[in-house]
Amino acid sequence: MNMKIAYLLGSLSRGGTETLLLDVFRTADKANYDFIGVHRKDGPYKDDFYATKPLFVRCAPKGKNLFGYLRRLRNLLKKENITIAHAQQSIDAVYAILATRGTKIKVVQTFHGYDFGAKGFTKRMIKWSIKHSDAVCFVSEAQKQYYIKEYNLKCLDKLHVVYNGINFSKLDVEKAPLELPVSKSDRPQGGQKPLKLAMVGNFVPGRAQNSACQFLKKIKDVGAVFDFYFVGKKSEAEPWRFDNCVQYCQENGLSDCVHFLGGRGDVPQILKHMDAFIYATDHDTFGIAVIEAIAAGLPTFVNDWEVMTEVTGNGKWASVYKTNDAEDFCAKFMDFVANIDQYKNQATSNAQQVRAAYSIEQHMQRLYQVYSQL
């Protein structure tokens, strides 16, 4: 089957969806199909996307002239002989459905998140986009089941689970000197050198950095010595998520050993310098950062949110602690401290299994199977 896909994105921000698509574009030569990228807004990843081999173009509404935008999008898709428009947001799925009316172009959409907080028009738009899409993908079984229940979906034959994929080669960098802030106690104390720990993820809904801060206080209270790094930017829409964590650290004696690095483009190098990875979520749908940490060979701690258990091989590839339970987290973390060599050896085995399960090649092959059914 000859097919050419147009991946439709909103902005080119440095988030999970964009990171996934960037990995796809960087490994275009390994796909069984041709594709291009179309985005509505710019962002920090623009240069990275435009540096890849597939065509990448901006097609955006001008003011409130939606009909003009739909016409330009339609003409672009027809000019590039697109057979499938694959939207990464419901709004782009709606645009694609309207723009391709009367053509043979199919529309696929992927849900990368949940609809928490959506009401009225937004929920109706989501349900309409699912109804009129030719195929709908979810990034985990748990997420798929949520949407089936929430929207009373009956079109089960066009619903698919396509796990995210990662270009693991980007993690295989040589460890190089890296300047990271350290606590004043970054030296052996009674024979114990501070552990270096990290959590990666922007301060946005879905992440629970506030819970991570509470866990850090607990393990410090019982004697753990560490430097912890939050890697992720403050949300412009909800800056309080970041500010509350900073304030908590200041009020609980953690400011010296908890560091906020902001958004970074060198996460693979940062992971090379870590001893373990800690993650807390309220409602992640997959957790690319978690998979990258495991694939980098780091002992990894995640809470028992349903999807975290699912993507970590039913909890085999990570230490799973009870959500919002500082005592349980502390017990599991201190076991790691007491048996660090054992955990690191197991982490090496976990890395191999995760790389086999969630490679970018596996992701594109699953997409190809979905596309081939249309």
Side-chain angles (χ1 to χ4, degrees), residues 14 45 178-181 202 230-233 261-267 270:
R14 190 174 279 119
Y45 265 155
L178 182 65
E179 291 188 9
L180 292 172
N202 294 330
F230 280 114
V231 184
K233 66 180 181 179
L261 303 185
R264 298 283 292 247
D266 58 347
V267 170
I270 291 174

Side-chain angles (χ1 to χ4, degrees), residues 2 7 9 17 21 27 36 43 53 57 149 167 193 197 201 214 217 234 236 258-259 271 300 305 351 362:
N2 292 324
Y7 287 106
L9 295 95
T17 301
L21 266 294
T27 53
I36 67 170
K53 291 182 180 179
V57 297
K149 182 178 179 180
N167 180 9
K193 184 178 181 180
L197 315 171
Q214 295 171 25
K217 181 180 185 303
K234 179 192 294 192
E236 293 183 3
V258 177
H259 315 284
L271 294 179
T300 300
W305 177 253
Q362 286 270 27

